[in-house]
Amino acid sequence: MARKPLTKPRKYATQERSRATVDALVAATARILVKEGYDKASTNRIAETAGVSIGSLYQYFPSKEALVAAVVERHNEDIMEVVHAVLQETASLPIGLAVRQLVTAAIEAHRVDPKLHRVLAEQIPRTGKLETIDTHGRQIHALFLAYLQAHKHELRVPDVSLAAFVCVTSIEALTHNAVLHHPEMLTDKATKTLIDEASRLVIGYLQAP
Amino acid sequence: MARKPLTKPRKYATQERSRATVDALVAATARILVKEGYDKASTNRIAETAGVSIGSLYQYFPSKEALVAAVVERHNEDIMEVVHAVLQETASLPIGLAVRQLVTAAIEAHRVDPKLHRVLAEQIPRTGKLETIDTHGRQIHALFLAYLQAHKHELRVPDVSLAAFVCVTSIEALTHNAVLHHPEMLTDKATKTLIDEASRLVIGYLQAP
DNA sequence: ATAGAATGCGAGCTATAGCTCTTATTTTCT
DNA sequence: AGAAAATAAGAGCTATAGCTCGCATTCTAT
């Protein structure tokens, strides 16, 4: 009924031309996701938008899901770049300042491509490959946990790992929610207030008497 | 090409028999969502599982989306029942105790039907009707804001409304995340610790010196 | 220059999703 | 009892999604 590998190996691009194709496909996928939503992002449409034939598309991506996964990964990388940068500068700061930086970074991260972020968060069914792509969540958690452990003496919490979970989850939710569902919080003034409050929340928690 | 309303009005069930049909359909939808995931939940499959013909299905639900929306609403109602109950008992308590109750309620709420909750949160593309069904989020926010306003004298926050946003968002994210992605936090002991920490987080924030 | 690999193409297949419409059954009302 | 309204049934239509496969084109390397 279905012979499996009669077709060519669906492998990574090696020549430059093909890398361009792959890039075009991923870019087109992102564009359509943002402008038209997940439903309209059919593989045919993606190929067409990318100026690539449907056959070529399937040479590099075994499924629509794989395409979306690539977009997610690319977006996560973009975000991690921002976060990483800020956290680096922050490593040696005391908690009071570091947390503030972290919150700021979180907001920055959510501003990288808010529309795409929203689509990825709200419209994409996490199924199959997509199910397991919370990479950057884990990563941030690990980074922040490391920071906390290095500053253990400044803390008053019973369990550092749990504390990291509490902080990261809260900050992420706060910024996510603000950026995606409360545009009124994005004026300069409101953003500042939000940062203040989020920082107060977390710092108070970490250093409570 | 397409004549619009040549068919019967797609209206609400009035007789008892039809109410049963509707219930069966909603229940079947929920069951399939949980057991098979969103993709497998085709209208045909739903009708079959409900023991109802596809024609009858479309007599009451104009689309698959409407069916899912019904499931979401039913689930939200279930959750709001729990939350409402707890918040009622809590209205006159001081913040220290009230927040603890609220956190507990949040966890309870997430335990109503975790599997369904997860599917609804992770697999359902928020599109069309679904886009606007965050009813219960708004509701909880309003309820908690009312509580905070009634206890304004106990607070030390610059903006009560913003404070409500911060608290509700954090608690929701914490419990959501814990219940859905950290089953190890669901032992009795771990849950207690989580409640302690979440409460400390929020109370510290609301009453900071 | 030419073989062989890598890449690109796109007509077209298969499957199924969502949905309509006609016909049959049950309920309600008089 | 019998007419009319409400409800149920399900064969089957339309559309399109995802994807394959044979062939054409372009690269790479000798």
Side-chain angles (χ1 to χ4, degrees):
Chain A
M1 197 182 282
R3 43 260 170 86
K4 277 179 227 163
L6 265 201
T7 16
K8 292 174 222 159
R10 202 119 39 170
K11 270 320 251 173
Y12 274 104
T14 57
Q15 303 186 0
E16 190 186 323
R17 184 170 48 134
S18 61
R19 282 195 63 75
T21 304
V22 168
D23 280 2
L25 286 169
V26 176
T29 305
R31 260 192 60 213
I32 298 185
L33 284 178
V34 168
K35 293 183 46 172
E36 320 246 8
Y38 182 74
D39 299 340
K40 307 264 182 168
S42 72
T43 51
N44 284 291
R45 201 136 166 30
I46 290 170
E48 188 187 4
T49 301
V52 158
S53 94
I54 186 67
S56 301
L57 184 156
Y58 278 96
Q59 202 141 126
Y60 299 104
F61 298 93
S63 68
K64 173 180 176 177
E65 211 180 3
L67 227 12
V68 175
V71 171
V72 171
E73 261 157 37
R74 216 187 53 171
H75 183 242
N76 280 351
E77 277 163 25
D78 289 350
I79 281 186
M80 282 311 295
E81 224 166 279
V82 173
V83 172
H84 231 115
V86 177
L87 282 195
Q88 209 101 28
E89 298 169 12
T90 300
S92 56
L93 295 181
I95 285 183
L97 297 176
V99 165
R100 210 158 204 296
Q101 286 301 98
L102 178 63
V103 172
T104 309
I107 292 182
E108 281 312 306
H110 280 275
R111 277 182 172 165
V112 167
D113 189 344
K115 288 184 183 178
L116 180 60
H117 190 84
R118 180 180 203 138
V119 172
L120 296 181
E122 301 188 338
Q123 287 191 36
I124 309 245
R126 250 69 31 94
T127 271
K129 339 250 91 176
L130 275 314
E131 211 165 16
T132 324
I133 302 203
D134 53 340
T135 321
H136 96 286
R138 306 260 173 215
Q139 240 173 298
I140 292 181
H141 184 270
L143 285 176
F144 190 64
L145 177 54
Y147 171 85
L148 284 190
Q149 262 154 356
H151 294 249
K152 210 170 179 175
H153 55 285
E154 296 179 59
L155 307 179
R156 312 222 183 160
V157 293
D159 177 342
V160 180
S161 180
L162 179 58
F165 169 79
V166 170
C167 295
V168 173
T169 300
S170 300
I171 292 175
E172 149 70 17
L174 246 20
T175 55
H176 181 94
N177 231 329
V179 172
L180 297 192
H181 302 296
H182 295 271
E184 80 274 10
M185 286 188 188
L186 297 186
T187 62
D188 275 7
K189 190 160 196 284
T191 302
K192 221 165 176 299
T193 314
L194 178 63
I195 294 179
D196 285 343
E197 291 296 277
S199 302
R200 231 164 44 71
L201 176 77
V202 169
I203 294 168
Y205 164 73
L206 288 174
Q207 303 187 315
Chain B
M1 196 184 281
R3 46 261 170 84
K4 277 181 227 162
L6 266 201
T7 16
K8 293 172 220 157
R10 203 117 41 168
K11 269 319 248 172
Y12 275 104
T14 56
Q15 302 186 1
E16 189 187 324
R17 184 168 53 135
S18 59
R19 282 196 63 76
T21 301
V22 169
D23 280 2
L25 285 168
V26 177
T29 305
R31 262 192 59 213
I32 296 185
L33 284 178
V34 169
K35 294 184 48 173
E36 321 245 7
Y38 183 74
D39 299 340
K40 308 265 180 168
S42 71
T43 51
N44 285 291
R45 200 134 167 30
I46 291 170
E48 187 187 6
T49 301
V52 159
S53 93
I54 187 66
S56 302
L57 185 156
Y58 277 96
Q59 202 143 126
Y60 299 104
F61 297 94
S63 70
K64 173 180 174 176
E65 210 180 3
L67 226 11
V68 174
V71 171
V72 171
E73 261 159 37
R74 218 188 51 173
H75 184 240
N76 279 351
E77 278 165 23
D78 288 351
I79 280 187
M80 281 312 294
E81 224 166 279
V82 172
V83 173
H84 230 115
V86 176
L87 282 194
Q88 207 100 31
E89 299 168 12
T90 300
S92 56
L93 295 181
I95 286 182
L97 298 176
V99 166
R100 212 160 202 293
Q101 285 302 98
L102 178 62
V103 173
T104 309
I107 292 184
E108 281 312 306
H110 279 275
R111 277 183 171 163
V112 166
D113 190 342
K115 289 184 182 179
L116 180 60
H117 190 83
R118 179 180 203 138
V119 173
L120 297 179
E122 300 188 339
Q123 288 191 34
I124 309 246
R126 250 68 34 89
T127 270
K129 340 250 91 174
L130 275 315
E131 211 164 20
T132 325
I133 302 203
D134 54 339
T135 321
H136 96 287
R138 306 260 174 216
Q139 240 174 298
I140 291 181
H141 184 271
L143 286 175
F144 189 65
L145 177 54
Y147 171 86
L148 284 190
Q149 261 153 356
H151 294 249
K152 208 169 181 176
H153 53 284
E154 297 178 59
L155 306 180
R156 311 225 185 155
V157 292
D159 177 342
V160 181
S161 180
L162 179 58
F165 170 78
V166 170
C167 295
V168 172
T169 300
S170 300
I171 292 176
E172 150 69 17
L174 246 19
T175 54
H176 181 93
N177 232 327
V179 172
L180 296 192
H181 301 296
H182 294 273
E184 79 274 10
M185 285 188 188
L186 297 185
T187 62
D188 276 9
K189 189 159 196 281
T191 302
K192 220 165 176 298
T193 313
L194 177 64
I195 294 179
D196 286 343
E197 293 295 278
S199 302
R200 229 161 49 67
L201 176 77
V202 169
I203 293 169
Y205 165 74
L206 288 174
Q207 303 188 314

